[in-house]
């Protein structure tokens, strides 16, 4: 299976002209011999240069996270679908078709030789579903009354059939934010500056990456003084093998506290832009008397991220 063959499958799907019709639907393709079902979902591009992203999302838990994040962008620890474990067909406005593998905290990469046959099966079945939906608009909803998703399932013998795939309950989402007692003790000993306000955010920097065989994504933690725009925290980090993306976010509050202690003062207020950052910093308010506030716009902080 070559890249050209995969791109040809993408071209066939695009030629149907059904992307807009398929946009509301999610369905499943489960090849034989795979641990995970793959959830097919569409995201519109900005047209510069991406027209459509066809996601093949890996496993139930990832799909649950995808759905939750689309409803609430501050849910969990994914900032963008790019961070979800999945395969992705990218259809560019200029007619270029590409297929990538995505993993949390890493930059997208080309498929391996072992992955191409699997992705080819998923795309071929997705193409078949799209052709059937052209004449049967309710096909992806066939099993909705059974609290199941429409799935194309492959038998060991290689035959495919329509099946209901029962939707399981997602695992409860739990975050663990903790601080070393020694660090909290030091924080309580440094001056508390009631009149000072800082602005802070942690975010993915899509245009930055590490210089490795498999480049990791870069995340920037920045804090500035509201009155002057002076930068007081500027940390760049990436995922680690033992903790992954969730640990990166759960470790953010401790990193913030450590930087404030090193600076030698605790501000009277911390302003944030992200509901996720707000949620993760709240445990600090138990031990320290600063005000934490969530805002729609912080122009000086946005400017700091552009520098």
């Amino acid at each position: 299976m070559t890249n050209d063959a995969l791109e040809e499958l993408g071209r066939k799907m695009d030629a149907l002209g059904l992307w807009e019709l398929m946009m509301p639907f999610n369905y499943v393709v489960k090849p034989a011999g795979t641990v995970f079902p793959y959830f097919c979902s569409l995201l519109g591009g900005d047209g510069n240069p991406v027209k459509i992203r066809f996601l093949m999302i890996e496993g139930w838990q990832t799909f649950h996270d995808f759905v939750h994040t689309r409803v609430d962008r501050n849910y969990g620890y994914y900032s963008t679908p790019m961070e979800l474990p999945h395969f992705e067909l990218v259809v560019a406005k200029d007619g270029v078709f590409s297929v990538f593998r995505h993993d949390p905290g890493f930059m997208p990469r080309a498929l391996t030789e072992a992955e191409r046959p699997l992705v080819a099966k998923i795309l071929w079945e997705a193409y078949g579903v799209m052709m059937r939906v052209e004449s049967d608009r309710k096909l992806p909803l066939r099993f909705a009354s059974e609290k199941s998703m429409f799935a194309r399932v492959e038998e060991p013998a290689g035959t495919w059939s329509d099946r209901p795939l029962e939707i399981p309950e997602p695992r409860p989402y739990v975050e663990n934010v903790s601080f070393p007692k020694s660090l909290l003790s030091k924080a309580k000993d440094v001056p508390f500056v009631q009149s000072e306000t800082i602005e802070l955010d942690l975010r993915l920097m899509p245009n930055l990456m590490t210089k490795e065989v498999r480049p990791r994504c870069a995340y920037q933690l920045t804090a500035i003084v509201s009155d002057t725009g002076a930068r007081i925290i500027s940390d760049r980090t990436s995922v680690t093998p033992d903790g992954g993306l969730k640990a990166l976010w759960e470790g953010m509050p401790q990193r913030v506290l450590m930087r404030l202690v090193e600076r030698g003062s605790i501000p009277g207020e911390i302003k944030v832009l992200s509901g996720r950052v707000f949620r993760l910093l709240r445990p600090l308010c138990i031990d320290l008397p600063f005000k934490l506030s969530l805002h729609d716009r912080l122009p000086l902080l946005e400017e700091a991220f552009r520098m």
Side-chain angles (χ1 to χ4, degrees):
M1 178 59 60
T2 64
N3 285 336
D4 288 345
L6 292 175
E7 291 164 13
E8 182 58 31
L9 279 172
R11 192 168 287 107
K12 288 177 181 290
M13 295 167 73
D14 187 52
L16 295 174
L18 297 175
W19 296 127
E20 187 173 347
L21 174 65
M22 297 298 299
M23 192 71 72
F25 301 123
N26 298 297
Y27 54 95
V28 187
V29 176
K30 177 67 169 65
T34 61
V35 175
F36 298 111
Y38 287 86
F39 296 83
C40 300
S41 187
L42 288 171
L43 293 177
D46 59 6
N48 185 29
V50 177
K51 180 172 74 172
I52 283 290
R53 299 183 186 276
F54 182 83
L55 279 60
M56 294 158 268
I57 299 168
E58 193 170 81
W60 273 112
Q61 188 56 50
T62 306
F63 183 67
H64 283 310
D65 289 338
F66 172 71
V67 172
H68 279 301
T69 304
R70 296 205 71 185
V71 173
D72 175 9
R73 64 188 178 90
N74 295 308
Y75 174 83
Y77 52 91
Y78 291 118
S79 304
T80 165
M82 168 185 165
E83 296 171 310
L84 295 163
H86 71 283
F87 298 107
E88 185 173 311
L89 167 68
V90 178
V91 180
K93 189 177 180 180
D94 61 4
V96 174
F97 298 82
S98 309
V99 184
F100 299 98
R101 172 68 193 183
H102 292 252
D103 290 295
F106 289 86
M107 297 299 291
R109 62 163 172 79
L111 302 187
T112 65
E113 291 291 338
E115 290 167 338
R116 286 179 192 148
L118 169 63
V119 174
K121 281 187 176 183
I122 299 170
L123 290 178
W124 180 254
E125 290 304 312
Y127 175 53
V129 170
M130 291 175 70
M131 287 194 294
R132 292 169 65 189
V133 169
E134 193 170 16
S135 58
D136 180 3
R137 303 294 175 91
K138 296 183 179 180
L139 179 69
L141 303 176
R142 176 180 292 178
F143 305 114
S145 63
E146 303 174 33
K147 294 185 178 179
S148 299
M149 293 185 67
F150 176 86
R152 290 288 293 163
V153 178
E154 184 183 22
E155 303 293 344
T159 58
W160 290 81
S161 61
D162 297 346
R163 298 271 191 86
L165 206 62
E166 184 178 357
I167 301 173
E169 289 295 320
R171 294 195 303 267
Y173 178 73
V174 178
E175 287 174 338
N176 295 299
V177 176
S178 61
F179 306 94
K181 290 183 179 179
S182 59
L183 181 59
L184 280 173
S185 179
K186 289 179 182 178
K188 292 174 181 178
D189 288 338
V190 301
F192 176 67
V193 184
Q194 178 71 46
S195 60
E196 185 178 61
T197 298
I198 71 170
E199 302 172 8
L200 179 146
D201 197 22
L202 171 65
R203 63 181 65 173
L204 171 68
M205 305 298 285
N207 297 325
L208 298 175
M209 68 185 78
T210 61
K211 295 180 179 179
E212 298 172 283
V213 175
R214 177 79 194 275
R216 288 174 289 166
C217 301
Y219 295 80
Q220 177 75 30
L221 175 65
T222 294
I224 63 168
V225 178
S226 293
D227 289 343
T228 64
R231 192 186 299 253
I232 60 171
I233 300 176
S234 182
D235 286 2
R236 198 165 284 169
T237 187
S238 58
V239 297
T240 57
D242 54 338
L245 189 56
K246 189 170 187 282
L248 183 149
W249 278 97
E250 290 177 339
M252 178 270 296
Q254 182 177 325
R255 183 181 290 265
V256 169
L257 184 58
M258 182 174 63
R259 291 290 179 255
L260 293 177
V261 169
E262 290 172 353
R263 181 176 179 247
S265 65
I266 303 296
E269 182 177 2
I270 298 179
K271 296 181 177 180
V272 300
L273 284 167
S274 157
R276 179 181 295 123
V277 173
F278 181 90
R279 183 178 73 242
L280 290 168
L281 284 178
R282 281 186 69 181
L284 263 180
C285 299
I286 298 171
D287 294 285
L288 300 173
F290 67 87
K291 177 184 177 183
L292 182 63
S293 57
L294 180 62
H295 299 260
D296 293 329
R297 293 182 67 253
L298 293 172
L300 280 179
L301 182 59
E302 291 292 358
E303 183 63 28
F305 272 99
R306 288 192 288 268
M307 293 174 62

